Amino acid sequence: MLQTVFEKNQPNAKVVDHALRRTRLAPFWIEDVADTPTYPAASADAAYDLVVVGGGYTGLWSALLAKQRHPELSVALVEGETIGWAASGRNGGFVEASLTHGSENGRRRWPGEIDALEALGLENLDAIEKTVHTLGLDCDFERNGAISVAIADYQAKDVFDTPPSATTTVLDGPAMRAQVNSPTYLAGVWDKQSTALVHPAKLATELGRACAEHGVEMFEHTKVLDLVRSRSSSRVGVRTASATLSAGRVILATNAFPSLLKRYRLHTVPVYDYVLMTEPLSDAQLAEVGWSARQGVADMSNQFHYYRLTRDNRILWGGYDAIYHFGRGMHHDLEDRLESHARLASHFFTTFPQLEGLEFTHKWGGVIDTSTRFCSFFGSAAKGRIAYAAGFTGLGVGASRFAANVMLDKVSGETTALTELDLVKSMPLPFPPEPLAAAGINATRWSLDRADHTEGRRNLFLKALDAVGLGFDS
């Protein structure tokens, strides 16, 4: 098998050790929010028109859009920890227009609908940008686009086969390195329209503030234990340890956490993603890298890295490893994985050898709600009074707002253009129970790594997954 560029050009181990010597286990984004509002726990039974379960992006957008659509509705949002503490405060801050985890995945699954889905995705991104400006959301929003970069010859060939577009620029090696300077870059495609960057935790905090200002009752440290449904009542009880909230309609936005609807508990698996954040680059270091257009960047391998600049010119560097723990394991201890963080640091200095001596200040991990179709799906229960969305598979920062609109349409009982989409009406295949889930996921990960070492060629196992619609192409 061929070696990847990260194996051919490994930095000295002392460079990696030095860079990680003072790194703290903590999500940089969450620590970087200067003034975080706090909300009380639910302490008494109450009744609402709508209760939203989950204080990440999906839940926050659901509550905010519900009040913007119908200000007269009484709306409560219930979060088990604090607003944005999980994936919404830990991700890379890439706000993608794609609702289908890329055009290729969407075209393969919904060929007759992909043009409409891509148009809806761009409309959704435009609406997020408009909301940021209209409501004054302080979240470091930058719409500079993103570059998909080739770091292997077969990837460069794909770049040069990219059809021309008014919003994309194909970059050969020198042009790519003029944008962002790395000896690993062979070519790239800069999509200038479809990606924005945000400070993830600031976005969650600001959406929470906007919800409260629009009249949403916000509850933190209020874990929902179950849903109570009665045949004699049209309402749903959202039961917590300290109170039961009665709701005419319920939206479930729990993403990677086990669904409160048992029928969907096998439709996602939690996969851990790992991230590093550097100290701020000096002016001299930044000049060595370039990056004046401040695009997001991701390489084109199956096991890919994603990276971007922060407002104070740190580099966030994440991805590559995607770790599943037997039994759908989720625990705070799993956020610290020495092997993954050391591998990320090594790959960083292969990519940017001119930054030798730079240190990482923060390391962390977080859970991605992975579905077998690599993008969100939508469920319902209680004769349409409960709506559920999950499975964003790492591209939920933008798609969460679209999902909120879908769920609000669904609980309204109306038939709309969104509820009639095949994307919305179809369901992915569930993952199998253990031990088959762990065996299948780990075999997939091994096969994707092998493809990265064989010029992208997919083995029989991956081809079999493709044939039954299980995807795993990113």
Side-chain angles (χ1 to χ4, degrees), residues 229 231 236 249 263 380-386 410-411 413:
R229 288 171 277 175
R231 293 182 180 179
V236 178
R249 299 289 184 268
R263 69 189 72 173
S380 59
K383 298 181 179 179
R385 295 191 299 275
I386 301 173
K410 287 173 73 70
V411 296

Side-chain angles (χ1 to χ4, degrees), residues 62-117:
S62 297
L64 178 60
L65 292 170
K67 291 295 285 187
Q68 289 180 330
R69 288 185 180 196
H70 300 289
E72 73 282 3
L73 292 181
S74 58
V75 179
L77 183 145
V78 184
E79 165 56 44
E81 297 289 338
T82 57
I83 297 301
W85 76 278
S88 295
R90 298 166 183 263
N91 63 83
F94 286 66
V95 192
E96 301 278 357
S98 178
L99 306 174
T100 60
H101 211 286
S103 296
E104 183 178 345
N105 187 49
R107 185 170 291 107
R108 185 172 65 249
R109 298 180 187 282
W110 302 284
E113 201 168 76
I114 185 61
D115 290 343
L117 290 172

Side-chain angles (χ1 to χ4, degrees), residues 5 13 25 40 46 55 81-82 115 155 182-183 213 253-254 281-282 318 323 330 340 374 389 431 440:
V5 67
L25 179 65
E81 297 289 338
T82 57
D115 290 343
Q155 296 169 3
S182 169
E213 290 177 353
T254 53
L281 273 64
S282 67
I323 306 300
M330 295 174 64
S340 292
F374 259 51
F431 289 92

